[in-house]
Amino acid sequence: AAEATGATATGRGKCGSKRHLLTEGGGIPLAMVLSGANRTDQKKLGDLLDAQVIAAVPDTVPGAETDETRAARHLCLDRGYATVACRETAMAHGYVPHIPPKRSAAHPLPPPGDPARHPPRRWVVEVSHSWFNRFRRLLVRWEKKAANYLGFVQLAACLIIDRKLRHARTLPG
């Protein structure tokens, strides 16, 4: 039996897998968790935050009054994580969650440019997913064992990090 696979919603029930990705502000991958395609992101948030190998460096807030606000770690999530359980999970791991509220008939989404609209930040993770999809081996999963696929994903993450750091060293400044 295949590991970390599940029925896809768009593939007529075929087995598929999902990569849950945690990145830093520039899109560099920090943690990756695999699951079946039928698993929701909300249920894997705790596993994803636990999967970090190196603890994230807290952001420094200039002019912060207390050590607590000065060392705040921020976690930007999309509307799919707008549940109390996800907020509690993020706070339990030491993050300040930034999750836009779900829209409803009572609370419609504000128009673009409105100060009440939550700023778009999801593109950072989407860019990182596209970097992973450039590796043909990862675009379509051929491995039956999740450990083998995870190994290729981790190798791709190392190559992505190396490329980004090498590019940062060559920039003038």
Side-chain angles (χ1 to χ4, degrees), residues 8-148:
T8 62
T10 59
R12 297 182 311 273
K14 294 180 183 176
C15 283
S17 61
K18 188 186 287 189
R19 295 184 305 241
H20 303 272
L21 181 63
L22 177 68
T23 67
E24 54 89 41
I28 295 177
L30 297 176
M32 175 81 65
V33 174
L34 298 177
S35 71
N38 56 350
R39 298 290 294 179
T40 61
D41 293 338
Q42 299 169 4
K43 294 181 181 180
K44 287 301 199 177
L45 181 60
D47 294 339
L48 183 61
L49 296 176
D50 287 336
Q52 292 184 63
V53 178
I54 299 173
V57 178
D59 297 334
T60 56
V61 179
E65 299 298 325
T66 63
D67 289 336
E68 186 176 295
T69 57
R70 189 180 3 249
R73 296 186 330 177
H74 299 274
L75 182 64
C76 298
L77 300 167
D78 61 4
R79 282 183 180 82
Y81 294 94
T83 63
V84 175
C86 288
R87 287 185 190 278
E88 289 174 355
T89 301
M91 288 189 287
H93 283 84
Y95 287 98
V96 176
H98 297 278
I99 307 170
K102 288 187 178 180
R103 66 176 174 225
S104 65
H107 301 288
L109 186 65
D114 189 310
R117 188 174 174 124
H118 200 271
R121 294 189 180 106
R122 180 68 187 170
W123 67 271
V124 175
V125 178
E126 298 303 328
V127 163
S128 189
H129 275 296
S130 76
W131 293 338
F132 278 98
N133 289 339
R134 289 181 188 171
F135 295 94
R136 194 171 71 178
R137 184 79 186 211
L138 301 180
L139 188 58
V140 175
R141 179 178 167 175
W142 297 100
E143 290 76 23
K144 289 185 178 183
K145 293 185 178 181
N148 294 347

